[in-house]
């Protein structure tokens, strides 16, 4: 059975574990990561001219989309590079701009020269002009003099062309009669708003996704306190001793902490991370902290006497595993859209989990022990022996010499042995005394004879 100190430490570990689980759960559920904006939608299938001719509303399929972005096709990307980077390349004075959106919010603007210089390979998309006008125009400075890249789709001529329109037209909400989107190639074709004007935008990543993770051989493990996982019992109802097995289920929140300083660099913003772990993709906050619910099962057993029962407490050991890993970094834009960016080496991650579980067996419960049956005579004898043992045990702490000798008399030969020893000693003394007296008389006679002869 546990000592008082062991019980207290066990209880303190138990409550500490509850507190830790609450903290881990809070850090997991309250992850400060981006939630995908359901008002901002990304579509990868562009609209056909036939659909535009039928006046199909681009948001009919999802009326909740306040901003709908449609990614560029491969043909449109090639056309963009051909026109913007060759005919309006970096050597020209004029710059043409596009908007940057992250999760449906305006994040800034970029120039076509950034793309032509190979500085970045952004995810480009089209947003209908009226959506840009309703959601982002009020955030712009009316005094700026810029030109934005767009495309005009003309049904009558069955063609789509890159064009650019004025910043002033957007912020002042110019009417359709005065609005003009100028064709990039010839600079002499003009399109109005009725020609299905779409504005070029860059969709910035919502998160970074770490995939294809490979862990390096180096690992450092540190252990902390043990904690109570569950209580159970083992029962052997049989009449023969045998090995009895049992199991308990327990759950905990495994904390995952990625060292973001090993992930972010000059090419990456401080965005939340999606981390591939345990067959799932975990959502971490911008500090690299998250968690995953874990359910486990602990097995235990012991050899037990017949018809006995024993209580069991299953104790778990918390441990921190510090590991290094390599991974591929993907940009995640929302709506399941991701794109490979680069790879990282020697990233660092710490897993806080219950490393192992072990049973602690308590004293068997007397109510489950086999009862003792005796014959009447033997039963009385057993009772007398039990009383005698109890009496000796209770008298031992108050032990007294006189009481002990009173209750334990001398053996029969002991007084005679003492008396005989005294008599022998007296006889020896008398003999020694007589021998000394006789020897003294003889010496005295010799002295007298010697004196007479001298005279």
């Amino acid at each position: 059975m546990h000592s008082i100190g062991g019980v207290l430490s066990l209880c303190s570990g138990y409550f500490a574990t509850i507190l830790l689980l609450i903290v881990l759960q809070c850090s997991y559920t309250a992850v400060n990561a981006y939630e995908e904006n359901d008002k901002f939608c990304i579509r990868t299938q562009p609209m056909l001219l036939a659909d535009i001719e039928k006046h199909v509303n681009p948001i009919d399929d999802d009326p909740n989309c306040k901003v709908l972005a449609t990614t560029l096709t491969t043909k449109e990307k090639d056309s963009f590079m051909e026109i913007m980077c060759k005919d309006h390349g970096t050597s020209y004075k004029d710059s043409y701009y596009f908007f940057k959106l992250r999760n449906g919010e305006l994040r800034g603007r970029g120039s076509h020269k950034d793309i032509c210089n190979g500085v970045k390979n952004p995810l480009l998309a089209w947003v209908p002009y009226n959506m840009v006008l309703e959601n982002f125009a009020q955030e712009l400075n009316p005094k700026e003099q810029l030109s934005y890249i767009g495309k005009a789709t003309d049904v009558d001529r069955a063609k789509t062309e890159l064009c650019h329109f004025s910043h002033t037209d957007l912020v002042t909400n110019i009417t359709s009669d005065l609005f003009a989107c100028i064709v990039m190639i010839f600079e002499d074709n003009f399109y109005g708003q009725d020609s299905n004007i779409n504005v070029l935008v860059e969709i910035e990543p919502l998160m970074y996704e770490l995939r294809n993770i490979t862990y390096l051989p180096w690992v450092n493990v540190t252990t902390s306190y043990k904690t109570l996982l569950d209580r159970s019992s083992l029962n052997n109802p049989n009449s023969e001793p045998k090995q009895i097995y049992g199991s308990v289920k327990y759950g905990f929140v495994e904390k995952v902490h990625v060292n973001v300083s090993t992930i972010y660099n000059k090419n990456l913003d401080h965005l939340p991370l999606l981390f591939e772990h345990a067959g799932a993709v975990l959502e971490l906050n911008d500090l690299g902290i998250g968690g995953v619910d874990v359910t486990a099962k602990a097995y235990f057993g012991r050899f037990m006497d017949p018809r006995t029962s024993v209580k069991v407490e299953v104790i778990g050991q918390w441990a921190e595993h510090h590991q290094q890993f390599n991974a591929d970094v993907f940009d995640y834009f929302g709506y399941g859209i991701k794109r490979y960016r680069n790879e990282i080496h020697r990233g660092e991650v710490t897993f806080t989990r219950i490393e192992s579980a072990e049973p602690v067996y308590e004293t068997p419960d007397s109510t489950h022990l086999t009862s003792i049956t005796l014959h009447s005579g033997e039963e009385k004898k057993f009772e007398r022996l039990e009383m005698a043992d109890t009496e000796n045990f209770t008298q031992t702490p108050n032990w007294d010499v006189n009481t002990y000798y009173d209750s334990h008399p001398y053996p029969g030969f002991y007084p005679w042995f003492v008396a005989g020893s005294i008599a022998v000693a007296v006889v020896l003394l008398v003999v020694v005394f007589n021998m000394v007296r006789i020897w003294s008389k003889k010496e005295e006679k010799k002295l007298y004879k010697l004196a007479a002869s001298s005279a």
Side-chain angles (χ1 to χ4, degrees):
M1 182 175 292
H2 297 299
S3 64
I4 296 177
V7 173
L8 290 177
S9 62
L10 184 61
C11 294
S12 62
Y14 178 67
F15 288 115
T17 302
I18 294 177
L19 180 60
L20 178 60
L21 292 179
I22 292 174
V23 170
L24 290 177
Q25 186 65 31
C26 291
S27 66
Y28 177 57
T29 57
V31 167
N32 185 25
Y34 287 111
E35 293 183 3
E36 294 190 29
N37 183 4
D38 57 357
K39 303 297 182 182
F40 175 64
C41 306
I42 303 175
R43 186 173 58 181
T44 57
Q45 295 297 327
M47 220 174 175
L48 301 177
L49 286 175
D51 296 330
I52 297 175
E53 186 177 5
K54 296 175 184 177
H55 303 287
V56 175
N57 190 333
I59 60 174
D60 279 345
D61 54 348
D62 193 348
N64 293 324
C65 296
K66 294 178 61 178
V67 179
L68 175 64
T70 305
T71 57
L72 273 65
T73 63
T74 303
K75 185 177 180 181
E76 287 177 327
K77 292 178 183 177
D78 294 339
S79 176
F80 179 87
M81 299 299 292
E82 181 73 20
I83 296 172
M84 299 306 301
C85 296
K86 290 186 178 180
D87 298 337
H88 302 276
T90 58
S91 61
Y92 290 84
K93 180 179 179 180
D94 294 332
S95 293
Y96 299 93
Y97 293 88
F98 51 85
F99 295 103
K100 295 183 178 182
L101 303 180
R102 176 179 291 167
N103 207 22
E105 297 180 355
L106 184 62
R107 297 280 299 175
R109 286 167 296 203
S111 171
H112 80 283
K113 294 182 179 180
D114 296 337
I115 300 175
C116 296
N117 281 330
V119 175
K120 60 187 307 183
N121 181 25
L123 178 65
L124 300 177
W126 302 111
V127 175
Y129 179 85
N130 64 319
M131 292 184 177
V132 176
L133 181 66
E134 293 174 3
N135 296 280
F136 308 120
Q138 64 274 15
E139 302 181 37
L140 303 175
N141 184 0
K143 297 181 179 180
E144 291 181 321
Q145 298 295 325
L146 303 173
S147 293
Y148 296 108
I149 304 172
K151 75 170 181 175
T153 302
D154 189 278
V155 177
D156 296 335
R157 287 181 283 179
K159 58 190 289 189
T160 297
E161 294 181 286
L162 285 175
C163 60
H164 64 90
F165 61 91
S166 172
H167 173 90
T168 304
D169 291 353
L170 180 62
V171 297
T172 58
N173 191 9
I174 294 295
T175 61
S176 59
D177 294 337
L178 299 177
F179 175 84
C181 194
I182 305 170
V183 176
M184 283 285 187
I185 301 177
F186 303 107
E187 296 287 345
D188 58 357
N189 289 340
F190 302 93
Y191 290 92
Q193 290 185 14
D194 56 348
S195 297
N196 295 290
I197 305 298
N198 284 268
V199 183
L200 184 68
V201 299
E202 175 192 347
I203 301 177
E204 292 187 340
L206 186 65
M207 304 179 187
Y208 299 122
E209 187 171 347
L210 305 181
R211 302 294 296 266
N212 304 325
I213 296 175
T214 56
Y215 294 99
L216 303 181
W218 178 87
V219 61
N220 182 22
V221 180
T222 58
T223 58
S224 58
Y225 60 87
K226 294 185 178 181
T227 182
L228 176 64
L229 301 178
D230 200 358
R231 290 185 173 92
S232 182
S233 62
L234 293 177
N235 300 285
N236 182 15
N238 299 323
S239 59
E240 298 179 356
K242 60 189 306 185
Q243 188 80 18
I244 303 297
Y245 295 96
S247 64
V248 296
K249 292 182 179 180
Y250 60 95
F252 62 95
V253 177
E254 180 184 20
K255 182 179 178 182
V256 180
H257 187 187
V258 176
N259 185 354
V260 294
S261 63
T262 63
I263 307 300
Y264 300 138
N265 51 48
K266 62 181 181 180
N267 297 323
L268 295 178
D269 297 330
H270 279 67
L271 294 179
L273 302 174
L274 296 173
F275 189 75
E276 188 179 38
H277 173 63
V281 178
L282 306 182
E283 184 175 330
L284 311 180
N285 62 11
D286 50 3
L287 299 177
I289 299 175
V292 57
D293 294 330
V294 177
T295 57
K297 199 170 185 179
Y299 296 90
F300 52 90
R302 66 175 293 172
F303 191 82
M304 297 183 62
D305 293 331
R307 297 186 180 89
T308 56
S309 176
V310 63
K311 294 180 180 180
V312 184
E313 290 182 345
V314 180
I315 308 300
Q317 176 71 63
W318 282 97
E320 292 183 353
H321 289 247
H322 309 277
Q323 294 183 254
Q324 293 180 338
F325 66 92
N326 299 333
D328 294 330
V329 181
F330 288 81
D331 290 331
Y332 179 76
F333 302 96
Y335 281 83
I337 300 174
K338 61 183 178 181
R339 187 171 60 182
Y340 175 79
R341 189 182 186 101
N342 55 21
E343 59 182 2
I344 61 170
H345 299 280
R346 293 192 176 276
E348 296 179 0
V349 61
T350 300
F351 300 103
T352 304
R353 62 170 71 106
I354 295 180
E355 174 67 16
S356 60
E358 58 183 6
V360 177
Y361 299 101
E362 297 181 352
T363 302
D365 191 344
S366 60
T367 58
H368 296 281
L369 295 176
T370 306
S371 59
I372 301 175
T373 57
L374 299 171
H375 296 292
S376 57
E378 294 179 353
E379 186 175 0
K380 292 180 181 179
K381 181 179 179 181
F382 177 79
E383 290 177 354
R384 287 197 299 272
L385 290 175
E386 185 178 12
M387 290 176 61
D389 292 339
T390 304
E391 184 179 0
N392 290 338
F393 177 79
T394 55
Q395 288 177 355
T396 302
N398 300 321
W399 186 68
D400 182 76
V401 176
N402 297 327
T403 306
Y404 177 81
Y405 284 127
D406 291 341
S407 59
H408 298 79
Y410 295 125
F413 72 91
Y414 187 71
W416 297 105
F417 173 77
V418 174
S421 299
I422 294 173
V424 171
V426 170
V427 171
L428 289 176
L429 289 174
V430 171
V431 171
V432 171
F433 177 77
N434 290 330
M435 291 179 65
V436 170
R437 187 169 58 84
I438 294 171
W439 182 78
S440 298
K441 288 181 178 181
K442 289 181 178 181
E443 289 295 326
E444 185 178 357
K445 288 180 179 181
K446 289 182 179 180
L447 291 174
Y448 287 147
K449 289 182 178 181
L450 181 60
S453 59
S454 300

